[in-house]
Amino acid sequence: METKKKEIRLLDCTIRDGGLVNNWDFSEDFVRRVYLALSQAGVDYMEIGYKNSPNLVESKGVGPWRFCDDQYLKEVIPEKTNTKLSAIVDVGRVDIEEVLPAEESHLDLIRVACYLKDVEKGLELVKTFNRLGYETTLNIMAVSNSMEHELIEALGKINTSPVNVAYIVDSFGSLYNRDFEYLIDKFKKHAPDKEFGIHAHNNLQMAFSNTILGAQQGVQFLDCSIYGMGRAAGNCPTELLLGYLKNPKYEIRPVLEVLEQLFIPLREKFEWGYIIPYAITGQLNEHPRSGMALRNSENKNQFAAFHDKMTTVETMDS
């Protein structure tokens, strides 16, 4: 029996997850420079956006990285390096007829994101993308809200599917090391034939710790983003992983340069990262949308009142 390779691969999702911060309004030069920096740093994959279909999701006021048109990708990045390109799709938001075969596309990897209840739909998409020649992952979102028996049943289906990588996604940034240890054990036990990935959010300042725990536990795919840029509290910072791994194939300096040149100025315009409302939603295992709404209001710094609102049991008069 062939031994499964344990080589770690980094997947930088700055443009895709960071696009949730600025509606994917990155300039072509910005994306090109990020790709060059990641290539020079030896990062294995760059997730350049979503591959969702404009006719199935809101397209008004969002940048092109929400849809990743193949011809547009070739214009922005005319010459690919050893850093592969990835895009993600949501179940129910992609028109398969719009997806070219891999040999005609700049994309190498298509990741399918779904909730546990839609695992079978997600795996049908995976089969299609595999037939088209793409590498694939299945990213199970909001795994912190899953029931154990549902997760075990889903992992059994994943194990017999053609998907290359099964992802543990801490959508709400609510998981601690012990939670990831538990989930990694479940994934290994019930999907033993698959490789695994981790996508962590930083609501509780655990994204880096949870990600390196995954690496120590044999998880092969590690998601990250430059300066942690991502929705709300953001993700595991790429620069921290590059520094931690100390692998000669990786070089941190190109990422520090692009961080300094592009992301420090961008952070003055857009907010992301560890902020108290996101810590509160993480502690409560809640989607950060309520924290995001608070930060966009005139009461943005009223943290105690926000905590009270989030933890008060509301009752209705009968």
Side-chain angles (χ1 to χ4, degrees), residues 180-291:
F180 265 101
E181 286 182 320
Y182 167 83
L183 287 167
I184 292 168
D185 180 68
K186 289 294 179 193
F187 273 60
K188 286 181 175 178
K189 182 177 180 180
H190 297 286
D193 299 328
K194 299 301 175 183
E195 291 189 316
F196 307 120
I198 277 182
H199 181 90
H201 283 266
N202 205 36
N203 300 61
L204 303 176
Q205 301 225 41
M206 293 297 298
F208 178 51
S209 177
N210 285 332
T211 301
I212 63 175
L213 169 72
Q216 293 165 355
Q217 296 288 323
V219 173
Q220 296 92 350
F221 279 72
L222 309 179
D223 278 21
C224 52
S225 63
I226 297 173
Y227 208 26
M229 187 181 185
R231 184 198 66 197
N235 307 106
C236 175
T238 301
E239 59 275 12
L240 290 185
L241 277 186
L242 290 171
Y244 165 77
L245 291 171
K246 295 181 175 60
N247 186 321
K249 71 179 273 192
Y250 297 127
E251 170 59 54
I252 192 173
R253 197 175 193 282
V255 168
L256 294 179
E257 287 181 341
V258 79
L259 193 162
E260 168 189 327
Q261 295 163 3
L262 299 182
F263 289 86
I264 295 299
L266 188 65
R267 185 61 177 77
E268 295 175 358
K269 299 179 182 179
F270 298 98
E271 179 179 275
W272 72 83
Y274 173 76
I275 300 171
I276 297 302
Y278 304 143
I280 292 170
T281 59
Q283 289 168 343
L284 298 175
N285 193 23
E286 295 279 353
H287 192 288
R289 62 173 63 92
S290 55

Side-chain angles (χ1 to χ4, degrees), residues 118-133:
D118 292 324
V119 160
E120 291 189 13
K121 293 179 181 178
L123 291 176
E124 284 302 311
L125 282 176
V126 161
K127 292 177 184 177
T128 301
F129 294 138
N130 271 100
R131 285 197 297 269
L132 289 170

Side-chain angles (χ1 to χ4, degrees), residues 129-180:
F129 294 138
N130 271 100
R131 285 197 297 269
L132 289 170
Y134 294 97
E135 300 172 43
T136 56
T137 80
L138 188 73
N139 294 28
I140 304 176
M141 299 185 294
V143 72
S144 59
N145 277 349
S146 64
M147 298 290 288
E148 183 179 30
H149 70 276
E150 293 175 339
L151 178 60
I152 291 172
E153 182 179 347
L155 288 172
K157 295 174 182 177
I158 289 168
N159 195 53
T160 58
S161 78
V163 74
N164 300 109
V165 185
Y167 256 85
I168 305 169
V169 182
D170 182 15
S171 300
F172 303 157
S174 62
L175 301 180
Y176 294 97
N177 284 173
R178 64 179 182 269
D179 304 311
F180 265 101

